[in-house]
Amino acid sequence: LLLPSLSRAKSTLNKKMWVLKCTDVPQFDALLAAADSFKADDKLHLRYLCNDSARCAGLTATVISGGRRIIFDYSRQQVTGETMEMLFDLADAVSFTDRREAMRSGAEINTTEKRSVLHHALRMPKGYEFTCPDGDKILAEVHAVRDSIEAFTEKVRSGEHVGFTGKPLKNYICIGIGGSQLGPEFVMEALRADPKAAAASKGRTLRFLANVDPVDFELCTRDLDPEETLIIIISKTFTTAETMLNARTARQWLMKGLVGNPNEINKDVVGK
């Protein structure tokens, strides 16, 4: 875990509130009934709903944040104003606002692991007023790790950090599962169409591996040179069975492919 203080934030809220699920309240049944009406009434098809200018205007919200305008357009969803009100009623029934504030304040809303859920802290800028127990310390740890990642990344990109045999590392395999795979992969997909990012990535290969099937590993690595490949293991706890199995497989692949079969391959493997 990168941020040890995140798990130390204490909660004084009633933990019973986390037991209630959205499917346990009648407001959810009302939404299901509304969904059925959309299927039965052709006038509620999206092709008709999108022609209703009053509806579209009422389902659009604009927020100005940090000098940027963010537009939330719900009109392209198969909902009406009444549907949105029903969603708000459901949110109220399960104390959504209270739960959101509890997460922001560091309450132990992860009752299984008895820890806080502070992913949003990873996105806070330096100097942000983080109203949470040990907020300043948590934010300092966040940016210490982010700065460390940035510094290491620049060393790899510039060629200062090379592999065991001295060759530049231009191939990267990210090993993870669930959010540890999808998060980085979504970032990559988001940047694929950006001209600056595309130019910076020219000549480099980035791949993701989650499946423990040996065939997937073979397909992922068959055209890569181990001497030019950096293995990036992404995990919160480094105990996930699939991730650690793929990590061991990747280590064996490196050991077999690197000249001299080194016993230490720390330059070719990193953990995040």
Side-chain angles (χ1 to χ4, degrees):
L1 182 65
L2 290 178
L3 309 173
S5 287
L6 296 187
S7 62
R8 295 197 294 267
K10 300 299 181 181
S11 169
T12 58
L13 300 180
N14 185 354
K15 293 182 180 179
K16 290 183 179 179
M17 68 182 296
W18 312 123
V19 177
L20 184 65
K21 299 179 181 179
C22 68
T23 54
D24 295 336
V25 295
Q27 287 84 351
F28 183 79
D29 295 328
L31 268 174
L32 289 180
D36 289 337
S37 71
F38 278 96
K39 298 175 183 177
D41 190 345
D42 188 59
K43 292 182 179 179
L44 293 176
H45 192 282
L46 200 57
R47 62 175 171 267
Y48 296 114
L49 294 176
C50 286
N51 287 327
D52 185 340
S53 58
R55 168 191 169 274
C56 293
L59 291 176
T60 304
T62 301
V63 176
I64 305 298
S65 177
R68 297 180 180 180
R69 188 171 71 150
I70 304 174
I71 300 175
F72 296 89
D73 186 358
Y74 304 104
S75 66
R76 269 47 184 175
Q77 300 298 316
Q78 198 173 17
V79 297
T80 63
E82 291 77 12
T83 314
M84 298 300 290
E85 289 298 328
M86 296 173 73
L87 283 167
F88 295 143
D89 289 342
L90 176 60
D92 290 340
V94 295
S95 302
F96 171 78
T97 301
D98 292 337
R99 294 184 184 213
R100 181 187 64 194
E101 293 307 315
M103 181 186 74
R104 289 177 174 176
S105 65
E108 292 178 357
I109 65 172
N110 182 342
T111 56
T112 303
E113 298 179 347
K114 294 186 171 72
R115 69 196 316 165
S116 304
V117 180
L118 294 175
H119 301 79
H120 52 291
L122 302 176
R123 299 167 178 82
M124 293 178 180
K126 290 182 179 179
Y128 188 85
E129 187 177 350
F130 188 17
T131 55
C132 167
D134 294 328
D136 291 341
K137 185 176 182 181
I138 291 172
L139 205 54
E141 290 179 350
V142 167
H143 284 283
V145 172
R146 290 179 59 174
D147 291 344
S148 177
I149 292 174
E150 182 180 13
F152 176 75
T153 302
E154 289 302 321
K155 287 182 179 180
V156 173
R157 296 185 63 83
S158 68
E160 179 182 349
H161 180 93
V162 295
F164 175 82
T165 63
K167 288 187 177 182
L169 298 167
K170 63 178 185 179
N171 308 314
Y172 317 100
I173 301 177
C174 293
I175 295 178
I177 196 168
S180 296
Q181 175 221 344
L182 292 175
E185 190 167 9
F186 285 169
V187 172
M188 181 198 73
E189 290 296 333
L191 293 174
R192 281 165 65 93
D194 181 82
K196 185 177 179 180
S201 64
K202 189 175 182 179
R204 304 176 190 273
T205 301
L206 175 59
R207 293 177 182 170
F208 298 87
L209 181 67
N211 196 340
V212 296
D213 190 329
V215 174
D216 270 20
F217 187 88
E218 164 65 20
L219 294 175
C220 182
T221 59
R222 61 168 36 171
D223 60 340
L224 300 182
D225 182 353
E227 296 185 60
E228 299 176 333
T229 302
L230 178 66
I231 305 296
I232 305 170
I233 304 168
I234 306 173
S235 179
K236 182 176 72 172
T237 62
F238 291 94
T239 59
T240 307
E242 295 88 346
T243 297
M244 300 319 295
L245 176 58
N246 277 330
R248 289 192 292 271
T249 302
R251 178 181 174 83
Q252 293 171 358
W253 177 74
L254 286 174
M255 294 286 286
K256 182 179 179 180
L258 292 178
V259 176
N261 292 321
N263 293 319
E264 296 294 335
I265 54 172
N266 57 307
K267 286 188 174 184
D268 299 84
V269 181
V270 294
K272 174 183 177 297

